[in-house]
Amino acid sequence: EASNSNSVLLHFICAGLTLPAEILDTNTRGPRRVTNNFLPLLNQDCGRIVNLGSGAGPIFLENIRSKKDKKRFLEPMSEAQIEEEITKILSTNDDFTAYSG
């Protein structure tokens, strides 16, 4: 599972995923799962894992009006903060409008 929009779109088409929970799982927990599974296989001298994003982040940020919310998305987050954000988004139970910030 990759964390770019093409992967999510592919999931939509191939697996019929439409739920925000599935998208959040792919985009937030997917890179962690990939890293945790491949890290033991890497050569410590020259191995690396590269995570590529889609470039859609700036477009997402442009649509957020609140400076406070923009800052929240620009600051690094711990795993606990990410899980808290996922819980917050999913608790809105309002389909994709939860992604508006």
Side-chain angles (χ1 to χ4, degrees):
E1 291 175 85
S3 69
N4 63 42
S5 61
N6 292 334
S7 172
V8 172
L9 183 58
L10 185 62
H11 273 26
F12 274 134
I13 294 168
C14 295
L17 300 181
T18 57
L19 299 175
E22 293 165 321
I23 297 168
L24 284 168
D25 183 61
T26 298
N27 287 343
T28 58
R29 296 179 185 124
R32 183 174 56 220
R33 287 192 298 266
V34 168
T35 300
N36 290 342
N37 284 293
F38 279 97
L39 202 54
L41 305 173
L42 292 178
N43 180 325
Q44 290 183 348
D45 295 329
C46 62
R48 69 185 104 188
I49 297 171
V50 178
N51 182 35
L52 300 176
S54 69
I59 295 168
F60 173 76
L61 287 173
E62 284 177 14
N63 293 317
I64 297 176
R65 301 196 195 294
S66 163
K67 287 183 181 182
K68 180 182 171 188
D69 285 337
K70 272 189 186 181
K71 184 177 180 186
R72 189 178 88 220
F73 286 109
L74 291 171
E75 296 293 321
M77 298 171 79
S78 68
E79 286 187 38
Q81 289 170 312
I82 291 169
E83 291 300 324
E84 185 178 307
E85 189 71 26
I86 290 170
T87 300
K88 179 182 167 188
I89 290 169
L90 295 178
S91 71
T92 62
N93 201 23
D94 65 353
D95 203 26
F96 292 100
T97 58
Y99 289 104
S100 66

